């Protein structure tokens, strides 16, 4: 059974930083792309960043230059380093496993999801 467990969310002031981590179990981690998505109240779930098994990345325009996604295939872990946080980054952040090797921006291209971790940025 595939499980993705996120950690690292919390409350931070605007301009601050947070680091999220996601540990996978029950899956051959190396084979798949991994993604971080977020969903704010009343809004659709959207891609934040995704990464292929080889390290190629795909970022939402709104986070480019501020967020960094990385992974360690041996540890079955993917991270999201978030710097220069803004109030509009407030959302529940989800880790997801891609159906394929592609770092897609579409939620339907991901088949397993974590439970989510809340990130709140105060202005």
């Amino acid at each position: 059974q595939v499980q993705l467990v996120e950690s690292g969310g919390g409350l931070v002031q605007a301009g601050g930083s947070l680091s999220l981590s996601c540990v996978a179990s029950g899956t051959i981690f190396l084979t798949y792309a991994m993604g971080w998505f977020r969903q704010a109240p009343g809004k659709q779930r959207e891609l934040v960043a995704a990464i292929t098994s080889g390290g190629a990345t795909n970022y939402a325009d709104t986070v480019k230059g501020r967020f960094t996604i990385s992974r360690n295939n041996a540890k079955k872990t993917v991270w999201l380093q978030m710097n220069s946080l803004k109030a509009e980054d407030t959302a529940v952040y989800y880790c997801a496993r891609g159906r394929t090797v592609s770092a897609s921006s579409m939620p339907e291209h991901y088949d397993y999801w974590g439970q989510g971790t809340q990130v709140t940025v105060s202005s």
Side-chain angles (χ1 to χ4, degrees):
Q1 183 177 359
V2 177
Q3 286 191 315
L4 303 174
V5 179
E6 304 107 332
S7 61
L11 173 64
V12 64
Q13 288 188 333
S17 298
L18 279 176
S19 181
L20 306 182
S21 63
C22 171
V23 180
S25 62
T27 180
I28 303 173
F29 186 80
L30 175 64
T31 308
Y32 302 98
M34 296 295 296
W36 284 99
F37 288 77
R38 67 186 180 188
Q39 188 166 19
K43 294 189 176 182
Q44 291 187 331
R45 192 168 296 191
E46 63 177 6
L47 175 78
V48 177
I51 186 167
T52 68
S53 60
T57 56
N58 176 20
Y59 290 96
D61 289 342
T62 54
V63 307
K64 282 180 181 176
R66 300 189 298 124
F67 291 11
T68 302
I69 188 171
S70 60
R71 66 188 288 167
N72 183 311
N73 292 329
K75 294 183 177 180
K76 294 189 176 182
T77 302
V78 60
W79 294 274
L80 184 69
Q81 177 64 41
M82 305 185 292
N83 299 327
S84 302
L85 282 160
K86 305 175 181 179
E88 51 264 43
D89 294 318
T90 295
V92 178
Y93 283 69
Y94 298 90
C95 172
R97 191 195 78 169
R99 295 181 186 273
T100 68
V101 300
S102 174
S104 172
S105 61
M106 305 185 70
E108 54 265 38
H109 292 172
Y110 293 77
D111 53 4
Y112 289 97
W113 296 80
Q115 80 285 356
T117 186
Q118 177 70 46
V119 171
T120 303
V121 184
S122 63
S123 57

